[in-house]
Amino acid sequence: MKKALHLWHRYLGLIIAIPLLVISLTGSILVFKEELDHLIMPELAKVDAQVGTRLPYDQLNTLLKNRFRDYEIGSWEIFDDGQTADRIYLIKHGTLDWYKVYLDQYAGTVRSEPVPANFYLTDWLLDLHYKFLIGETGLWITGVASIILLFMGISGLVIYRQFWKKFFSLRLNVKRTAFFSDLHKLTGIWSAPILLVLGFTGAYWNISEIIHHQFEHHDEEKVVTGPLYNQALSLDAMAKNAQTQMGGFRTTYLLFPFEEGRQITFFGEVGDIGVLSSEYSSTVTFNKESGVLEPNFDIREAPAFFTVVDSFRKLHFGYFAGLTSKIIWCVIGLTPLIFTITGSYLWLRRRKPNQSRKQVPLSAQL
């Protein structure tokens, strides 16, 4: 059993080596996505509003509609930290194509013209990380890679089931094969818990997205030709109503009805629910035509399953404990590079004696 598991561990590791390297390296970079955006394009992503308040949603919405008459707003990332610009995602009329612009929510100025959603460096890396830049096919690839990563982590712990004896076992004054073997095992022991979390959460998201595409709206996608909701409705009134309906609710994301069956949904966070609760944990929804309040979702009243799923965001991106957890997640995300180098070397070393023997004439082997 152990021998078979070892073989599966070895060959599956070789199969997913390249995809896993791409996923892990991009993931390590994306842990600091916000910081990188502020650093490399501050004129777009960063605002300076130490004194001041956000402008009303309706005022900003009117500004966007007048500026981009050939587009409709599909979603709106909302920030009120005085440092990060709002991110607006537009859908071009007559298409299914999404575009992105930056908005200074304090000064009321649009920072950029519409560009494809994966145009900027970190957005391109996110698309590479999540879909390998090839859409739904990429979802399948990263989903399978995540499942195999789960198997690799579990099988590695089973193969070296007495791993607790080797938490600090790294022989230095030995041959390269022995050193690489120790490094491979030691790296796996230390990184396995986090890699299992990353693999599980990644696989869950990919599978969920695939199911959504295949069964929920695949045949319902329609091009956008005009307003997605009743333009007489006030976003400010709905936002105020959301706060009234759900005590402590703070809006962080606004989703418009770009698909059949969707309404206007305010995503946000509420207080006193734990360090792993995401900033999109709760929702308040309004009818897109009448503005009537529809059933909301308060994470504080939800079953445990939904609380666990909501925690996946912070667990996957590692920002639940500030800079400390981000650094740990970034470093652990680089460990597949060590696995690939050491694992490939050990595999080649094991094959070399057999290959050398095959090259010797049969008469010399007798």
Side-chain angles (χ1 to χ4, degrees):
M1 176 64 181
K2 183 177 178 180
K3 184 177 180 181
L5 195 61
H6 200 286
L7 287 173
W8 277 102
H9 183 93
R10 182 187 307 168
Y11 287 111
L12 284 176
L14 291 170
I15 290 172
I16 68 163
I18 300 302
L20 187 57
L21 275 179
V22 173
I23 293 171
S24 62
L25 292 176
T26 54
S28 289
I29 296 171
L30 290 168
V31 167
F32 293 100
K33 185 180 187 302
E34 294 294 340
E35 291 84 352
L36 285 171
D37 284 343
H38 287 188
L39 179 65
I40 63 180
M41 49 183 193
E43 72 284 357
L44 299 179
K46 192 173 181 180
V47 296
D48 185 8
Q50 296 179 359
V51 179
T53 57
R54 287 183 56 93
L55 294 175
Y57 291 114
D58 291 334
Q59 181 179 337
L60 295 172
N61 190 32
T62 300
L63 169 69
L64 291 166
K65 288 191 294 185
N66 291 336
R67 177 74 174 268
F68 305 114
R69 295 182 181 277
D70 295 330
Y71 300 81
E72 296 299 325
I73 302 176
S75 62
W76 185 339
E77 286 189 85
I78 296 165
F79 299 92
D80 196 13
D81 57 3
Q83 299 179 349
T84 307
D86 280 8
R87 296 189 283 259
I88 313 298
Y89 295 89
L90 306 170
I91 309 172
K92 190 172 184 179
H93 288 172
T95 75
L96 294 170
D97 300 331
W98 287 73
Y99 295 81
K100 179 179 182 179
V101 298
Y102 284 93
L103 171 70
D104 186 333
Q105 65 274 35
Y106 300 98
T109 57
V110 177
R111 292 284 189 86
S112 63
E113 292 300 316
V115 296
N118 64 351
F119 177 82
Y120 298 109
L121 176 61
T122 57
D123 294 323
W124 183 86
L125 288 172
L126 181 61
D127 195 11
L128 179 62
H129 176 81
Y130 187 39
K131 299 180 180 179
F132 282 106
L133 307 176
I134 51 176
E136 193 170 326
T137 302
L139 276 176
W140 282 96
I141 295 174
T142 53
V144 171
S146 297
I147 293 172
I148 293 177
L149 177 61
L150 275 175
F151 171 81
M152 298 290 288
I154 295 171
S155 62
L157 292 176
V158 173
I159 293 169
Y160 307 111
R161 51 184 173 271
Q162 294 184 325
F163 60 87
W164 62 85
K165 297 181 179 180
K166 298 184 179 182
F167 267 120
F168 303 101
S169 178
L170 180 62
R171 295 169 293 176
L172 300 176
N173 298 320
V174 293
K175 291 183 178 180
R176 185 179 300 169
T177 301
F179 173 74
F180 274 19
S181 178
D182 283 358
L183 182 61
H184 190 91
K185 296 173 186 176
L186 186 65
T187 303
I189 290 169
W190 281 93
S191 64
I194 294 176
L195 289 180
L196 286 173
V197 168
L198 295 176
F200 183 81
T201 53
Y204 176 86
W205 281 337
N206 281 72
I207 292 171
S208 298
E209 186 71 12
I210 289 169
I211 292 173
H212 176 68
H213 275 269
Q214 292 293 326
F215 303 107
E216 295 183 18
H217 85 289
H218 187 72
D219 296 326
E220 300 176 0
E221 290 186 296
K222 297 180 180 178
V223 297
V224 172
T225 57
L228 302 175
Y229 64 97
N230 182 355
Q231 299 295 288
L233 296 178
S234 168
L235 297 180
D236 288 308
M238 286 187 280
K240 185 177 180 179
N241 195 355
Q243 291 179 322
T244 302
Q245 293 295 323
M246 193 179 298
F249 183 81
R250 186 178 71 86
T251 302
T252 58
Y253 189 76
L254 183 52
L255 186 65
F256 293 93
F258 63 90
E259 290 178 341
E260 290 290 334
R262 287 190 182 273
Q263 306 299 331
I264 302 172
T265 302
F266 289 74
F267 288 75
E269 58 186 1
V270 290
D272 303 325
I273 48 174
V275 69
L276 293 179
S277 178
S278 81
E279 60 271 37
Y280 311 111
S281 60
S282 301
T283 62
V284 182
T285 302
F286 299 88
N287 185 277
K288 63 183 179 181
E289 296 300 334
S290 65
V292 172
L293 181 70
E294 301 204 347
N296 59 36
F297 178 83
D298 189 335
I299 193 67
R300 294 169 295 189
E301 301 172 358
F305 170 78
F306 294 99
T307 303
V308 171
V309 171
D310 176 64
S311 71
F312 288 178
R313 176 173 295 276
K314 285 190 174 180
L315 285 173
H316 191 83
F317 293 104
Y319 61 98
F320 56 88
L323 182 60
T324 300
S325 58
K326 281 189 171 187
I327 292 174
I328 294 173
W329 255 239
C330 178
V331 172
I332 295 299
L334 297 173
T335 55
L337 179 61
I338 298 176
F339 293 143
T340 301
I341 294 173
T342 57
S344 298
Y345 178 83
L346 293 171
W347 180 74
L348 290 171
R349 290 294 297 175
R350 290 189 180 99
R351 285 176 55 86
K352 191 173 181 180
N354 294 331
Q355 291 177 342
S356 298
R357 182 175 176 82
K358 290 178 181 178
Q359 293 171 0
V360 177
L362 180 61
S363 58
Q365 297 180 25
L366 300 176

